[in-house]
Amino acid sequence: MKKIYHLSTCDTNKRILKELNPPAAFKLQDIKTEGITEEQIEEMKELAGSYEALFSKRARLYREKELHLEELTEDQYRNLILEHYTFLKRPVIINNDDIFIGNSKKMVEAAKKSINE
């Protein structure tokens, strides 16, 4: 599978997509207009190893809901990501069996290398 979950209204995601310049084989999914399904979150978790790895603790709602004060379980991470798109750390880039999560320079470079192999 070749897929990129992103947020089209996010300037950082726009910059990363432009930098990656993914081939036509990649399907882009704007998570704001096309929500993440249970099947998709399960596929991401299989590759990432945990729901926590997919969860954005930088999301505004994370603080607003005072979730930073709690010890969240894997099920809670999963349900929160399904409940609201901002809880997904983005972009999530899947290139066959490789997954790249987030926008760190190191992650973007690794994704770019994988895409261009």
Side-chain angles (χ1 to χ4, degrees):
M1 178 193 337
K2 293 178 180 288
K3 189 148 192 179
I4 299 176
Y5 297 91
H6 69 103
L7 186 58
S8 64
T9 55
C10 173
D11 288 337
T12 302
N13 277 205
K14 286 181 200 172
R15 176 184 53 76
I16 290 169
L17 280 176
K18 188 175 181 179
E19 187 178 331
L20 291 175
N21 191 21
F26 277 83
K27 182 181 183 317
L28 301 179
Q29 181 173 331
D30 183 351
I31 60 174
K32 187 174 186 175
T33 58
E34 188 184 339
I36 300 160
T37 66
E38 289 190 20
E39 185 181 322
Q40 289 171 331
I41 193 82
E42 294 306 321
E43 289 170 351
M44 286 187 254
K45 188 242 184 197
E46 282 298 310
L47 293 171
S50 71
Y51 295 112
E52 185 177 7
L54 297 163
F55 189 84
S56 174
K57 294 182 178 175
R58 297 170 74 192
R60 193 183 75 235
L61 284 175
Y62 183 66
R63 288 234 171 248
E64 282 179 12
K65 292 184 171 210
E66 297 188 348
L67 298 171
H68 62 288
L69 303 175
E70 298 178 36
E71 279 280 324
L72 298 175
T73 65
E74 279 291 291
D75 277 347
Q76 287 172 307
Y77 284 124
R78 178 187 181 277
N79 294 335
L80 285 164
I81 292 169
L82 287 171
E83 177 187 308
H84 202 276
Y85 67 89
T86 59
F87 286 122
L88 181 69
K89 192 184 286 186
R90 41 190 200 276
V92 174
I93 302 155
I94 299 174
N95 188 15
N96 299 319
D97 292 332
D98 295 326
I99 188 166
F100 306 93
I101 305 162
N103 57 24
S104 73
K105 266 191 166 45
K106 186 174 152 188
M107 192 65 71
V108 173
E109 283 305 313
K112 192 190 298 185
K113 185 177 178 205
S114 174
I115 287 171
N116 294 315
E117 281 181 347

